[in-house]
Amino acid sequence: MKAKLRVVAVLLLCCAFLCGCQPKQQAAEPALVLGFSQLGSESSFRIGNTKDIEEKAKAYGVSLMMDNANQKQENQINAIRRFIAYRVDVIAFSPIVEEGWDNVLTEAKQAGIPVILVDRTVKTSDDSLYISQIGADFYREGVMAAEYLTKKADELGKDKLRIVEITGTENSTPMKQRHEGFWDTVANDSRMELLESVNGDFLRSRGAECIRYLLEKYGNQIDVIFSHNDEMTLGALPEIEQAGYTPGQDMILISIDGGQEAIDLLKEGKINCIVECTPMLGSLLMETAQAVKEGKPVNRVIHPVERAFSSDEDLSVLPPRGY
Ligand code: GYE
């Protein structure tokens, strides 16, 4: 009997010891809750951007509320209002156009929720409406496209290059700044002549429509096609071939983004130059959002490093693009 009592006593002591010494479970820090309004799914850039943000949210342990606005600003505004009502920690969004955000961003500010711009930016007189902008230097992208063309004109000994331009979504930051960067760079080069600039809204189908119109109107006068994104370039390419021209030879094609499908055509020589515009902004966004939540200082503008690819270089070393 005594032996049994001794065993029970020892067991009770062990339990008491374990309970007493058990370190208190640290309450897990609640994950950052991030509301993200994505503008749509219009291009491989956009789809790659959404995918990267979702993957990086998981990797960083961020609780992500993703909303796709399907190319409508009003849907983005409604999504931001839902994020405010839900009281997320941080709001981020890729504004489809630059104007029309002051009211809803003021509501976010009054709710004490910081806002990060991703990819594109907004035009506002109140700098306090967002804390940071993470995205490409679109003006520089236009400059890099023009620098490529200037070098190509020198190599080919051209004294005239007649250019058609297919622009992106009206009043969006990439459309305005790519246009300005390109034409500011060639402004004093008398060889460069703009035939016409038409809007393709960053869409493949509209790229095809635009080039059909331009080929109909200008035909073999066209020496250069400057397209603001790969999607529109990919729409234009079959139309150029259909019209009996050899893209990359009869006409110089310059594009922007650098997704796999376009890079493969660059390797084939059907596109001459692609200026990179990376959609892989997820890590920068998660790190910035976490810093903001912790009250740490963040950069006002964060540009990823980007470059231009030319069909004249050795592209065999390029790793898969991932978008
Ligand atoms: O070039 C295009 C997308 O905002 C930089 O939007 C982005 C642009 C990109 O539709 O493919």
Side-chain angles (χ1 to χ4, degrees):
M1 182 59 177
K2 270 190 181 167
K4 274 187 184 168
L5 282 173
R6 199 174 296 125
V7 167
V8 170
V10 167
L11 282 175
L12 284 172
L13 272 174
C14 289
C15 288
F17 173 75
L18 284 175
C19 294
C21 297
Q22 195 72 14
K24 285 209 173 10
Q25 286 299 327
Q26 295 297 328
E29 177 66 22
L32 163 75
V33 180
L34 172 66
F36 186 85
S37 163
Q38 181 58 285
L39 66 87
S41 311
E42 77 287 353
S43 61
S44 53
F45 169 99
R46 190 65 51 204
I47 291 163
N49 180 241
T50 300
K51 183 167 168 273
D52 189 58
I53 288 169
E54 288 172 339
E55 286 174 355
K56 296 303 189 307
K58 284 199 185 81
Y60 282 76
V62 170
S63 173
L64 177 68
M65 295 172 72
M66 172 68 79
D67 177 89
N68 187 318
N70 296 312
Q71 313 319 118
K72 289 188 172 54
Q73 180 175 28
E74 64 187 290
N75 290 348
Q76 290 200 278
I77 290 169
N78 293 337
I80 292 170
R81 287 198 166 116
R82 282 199 300 279
F83 297 148
I84 292 168
Y86 192 84
R87 301 223 41 79
V88 299
D89 295 309
V90 178
I91 290 170
F93 74 114
S94 179
I96 188 166
V97 292
E98 291 191 331
E99 322 241 345
W101 305 99
D102 278 15
N103 289 344
V104 72
L105 294 185
T106 301
E107 291 167 30
K109 179 181 172 185
Q110 287 165 346
I113 302 177
V115 173
I116 297 171
L117 304 181
V118 175
D119 174 26
R120 303 183 184 178
T121 188
V122 301
K123 185 168 268 172
T124 176
S125 54
D126 180 354
D127 282 350
S128 71
L129 292 182
Y130 67 88
I131 193 162
S132 182
Q133 189 246 327
I134 302 168
D137 179 345
F138 302 117
Y139 186 89
R140 174 94 194 103
E141 291 174 349
V143 169
M144 286 196 276
E147 286 172 345
Y148 167 82
L149 186 59
T150 303
K151 186 162 164 274
K152 195 71 179 174
D154 296 345
E155 284 166 11
L156 297 173
K158 292 284 184 184
D159 55 15
K160 179 62 74 181
L161 282 175
R162 290 157 302 195
I163 305 162
V164 294
E165 180 185 25
I166 306 178
T167 61
T169 303
E170 288 285 355
N171 302 319
S172 68
T173 318
M175 178 264 184
K176 292 165 72 173
Q177 294 186 7
R178 285 169 181 169
H179 175 86
E180 286 161 17
F182 183 91
W183 293 106
D184 287 354
T185 303
V186 299
N188 299 320
D189 187 335
S190 59
R191 297 173 295 178
M192 308 294 179
E193 178 194 336
L194 172 62
L195 289 176
E196 190 168 348
S197 188
V198 291
N199 182 264
D201 202 16
F202 286 134
L203 297 172
R204 191 176 296 220
S205 57
R206 291 284 304 282
E209 287 167 23
C210 288
I211 202 65
R212 276 201 295 271
Y213 160 77
L214 293 165
L215 288 169
E216 191 71 32
K217 188 170 178 182
Y218 300 103
N220 62 6
Q221 291 180 64
I222 299 173
D223 299 311
V224 181
I225 299 163
F226 170 42
S227 166
H228 285 194
N229 86 326
D230 293 346
E231 221 60 40
M232 298 187 296
T233 306
L234 294 165
L237 263 164
E239 300 297 329
I240 294 168
E241 292 172 317
Q242 188 84 31
Y245 300 102
T246 305
Q249 293 175 36
D250 298 334
M251 296 170 185
I252 296 169
L253 263 69
I254 301 171
S255 189
I256 301 179
D257 276 344
Q260 194 62 56
E261 194 177 355
I263 288 288
D264 290 344
L265 289 163
L266 184 76
K267 291 177 178 175
E268 291 177 38
K270 291 189 175 181
I271 299 175
N272 302 86
C273 170
I274 297 180
V275 176
E276 181 180 28
C277 181
T278 179
M280 307 306 188
L281 304 172
S283 293
L284 286 170
L285 172 56
M286 299 309 150
E287 288 159 10
T288 305
Q290 283 175 334
V292 166
K293 187 185 177 196
E294 293 158 16
K296 294 176 182 162
V298 294
N299 291 327
R300 178 74 177 165
V301 178
I302 303 169
H303 287 321
V305 176
E306 295 176 332
R307 56 158 290 190
F309 300 104
S310 152
S311 56
D312 303 331
E313 65 181 280
D314 175 11
L315 298 162
S316 61
V317 296
L318 266 185
R321 301 292 298 156
Y323 62 102

